[in-house]
Amino acid sequence: MSPVALPPDLIAFVQDKVSSGSYETENEVIREALRLLRERDQVREMRLAALRSEIQVGLDESARGQVAPLDMDEIKRSAAEMLLQNKSR
């Protein structure tokens, strides 16, 4: 594999991490960044798989006729509560 070319701002970022003592070498900074990227991708894939599974449950229930009419007032109330909870965090 050939050396990776980084833009000047990322080169400075990597050098700052080494200069601060957080990492001993530039390679350590890059390895940690790639490890975190891989971890983030794995989490995203797990969440996507869980979402697909939940969607399939809903589709299966719908195919069996196990659905209820939507209560838009309840949906709006629930959404408003969720927004308030997220703002208070």
Side-chain angles (χ1 to χ4, degrees):
M1 180 166 65
S2 62
V4 176
L6 297 175
D9 62 320
L10 288 180
I11 291 171
F13 179 75
V14 170
Q15 291 170 342
D16 287 346
K17 289 296 184 181
V18 174
S19 297
S20 73
S22 297
Y23 297 87
E24 289 188 28
T25 67
E26 293 172 350
N27 283 336
E28 284 183 13
V29 177
I30 302 300
R31 279 193 297 270
E32 177 72 2
L34 291 172
R35 184 191 67 75
L36 290 170
L37 178 61
R38 180 175 24 196
E39 184 179 295
R40 186 191 73 184
D41 288 350
Q42 289 170 343
V43 167
R44 182 181 293 145
E45 285 301 316
M46 289 170 42
R47 288 180 176 162
L48 186 56
L51 180 59
R52 285 182 176 135
S53 176
E54 290 178 30
I55 289 171
Q56 190 59 53
V57 167
L59 292 172
D60 293 345
E61 288 175 352
S62 177
R64 292 190 302 266
Q66 298 172 316
V67 293
L70 293 177
D71 181 345
M72 290 309 294
D73 291 331
E74 174 61 24
I75 291 170
K76 289 176 186 177
R77 186 191 62 72
S78 179
E81 285 179 11
M82 288 173 57
L83 284 173
L84 286 175
Q85 288 175 358
N86 287 337
K87 286 183 181 181
S88 65
R89 290 183 188 177

